Amino acid sequence: MAYSGEPLLAEDLLFRPPHSLIDQSLHAQLGETTTNGDGFGIGWYGEGSRPAVFKNIEPAWNDRNLREIASQIRTPLFFAHVRASTGTEVQRSNCHPFRHGQWLWMHNGALRGFHATKRDLMTAVDPALFADIEGSTDSELLFFLALTFGLTDDPFGAVARAIGLVEDVSRAHAITSPVQMTVATTDGDSMWFFRYASKGPSRSLFYSIDSSALRAFGADVGVWGRRTVEIRFVVSEPLGDLPGVWSAVPESSAGVVGPGGGEIRPFEPSPP
């Protein structure tokens, strides 16, 4: 879940919607797995440009510390992720969101054949960035490939080049359909999101399309309904079933929302 808009309490975003991310950690309806209990993480912007992160390997639904701090964090830009491991270790450094400088990154999906391609992909990371990789996941490596290819200046182009490299390396290892992803990333001002799979349907991804409908939905759950500032969500699954609030991000698409508005455009990998 990614949120941008008027500062809200994290607990209003995480716990109060009927199909909140905490509910999804136990009862996901559209994901590859129903239960996402291999850790969680949140990231938010407060004082200064560098975001804070809080992560734990415990299931999100059972972490009392998360409930405690969520009642005290008020932020205009909030990322949250619940994890179901695709094979790498359940450890704090493998929990999303990943952070580098002022950037946050979350990924839902997997790089097929990652064990075989990992070395080639790791050596493509900018040496100046390499030492900052903390964990062992394909998700974090994809983040650092995007940083290598210019995420801070051109998010759309950087992710396209990173995915193009992954597909090129995978072909060299005779791995078919290597990329399955939805991604959200932010620099603290704007949010970019991506939905793509090398073949077949990609993981679900939705965005809020109507601020008035979203405020009506918020009023139903007693949170942001009276707000007048435009608010935006990007979520793996809708947080509730009120009509007119959520729209699916089209397959092979990328989008951005920020101070200047928003757009969705086609997404295609760029070969290296």
Side-chain angles (χ1 to χ4, degrees), residues 45 51 79 97-107 124-126 129 139-163 181 183-194 254-256 265 267:
Y45 292 80
F79 270 30
F98 302 103
R99 175 183 63 191
H100 189 270
Q102 69 189 66
W103 287 79
L104 292 174
W105 173 280
M106 301 187 294
H107 170 227
V125 173
D126 184 340
L129 298 170
S139 301
E140 185 182 22
L141 180 53
L142 189 57
F143 178 30
F144 275 80
L145 287 173
L147 287 166
T148 296
F149 289 122
L151 181 69
T152 58
D153 297 318
D154 177 18
F156 290 124
V159 175
R161 290 186 285 273
I163 297 303
M181 74 166 199
V183 161
T185 188
T186 180
D187 62 356
D189 291 319
S190 298
M191 298 191 306
W192 292 264
F193 51 96
F194 303 81
V256 60
R265 60 171 73 174
F267 175 82

Side-chain angles (χ1 to χ4, degrees), residues 39-109:
F40 69 88
I42 60 174
W44 69 97
Y45 292 80
E47 298 297 324
S49 61
R50 190 171 189 262
V53 295
F54 174 76
K55 306 180 184 185
N56 202 340
I57 62 172
E58 299 295 326
W61 68 81
N62 197 38
D63 192 287
R64 293 180 64 183
N65 287 326
L66 177 61
R67 174 75 75 167
E68 284 288 326
I69 68 168
S71 67
Q72 299 297 321
I73 295 171
R74 188 178 296 275
T75 177
L77 207 160
F78 184 73
F79 270 30
H81 186 278
V82 290
R83 183 173 185 245
S85 172
T86 56
T88 49
E89 294 296 323
V90 178
Q91 60 192 44
R92 184 187 181 280
S93 59
N94 284 344
C95 293
H96 311 221
F98 302 103
R99 175 183 63 191
H100 189 270
Q102 69 189 66
W103 287 79
L104 292 174
W105 173 280
M106 301 187 294
H107 170 227
N108 181 24

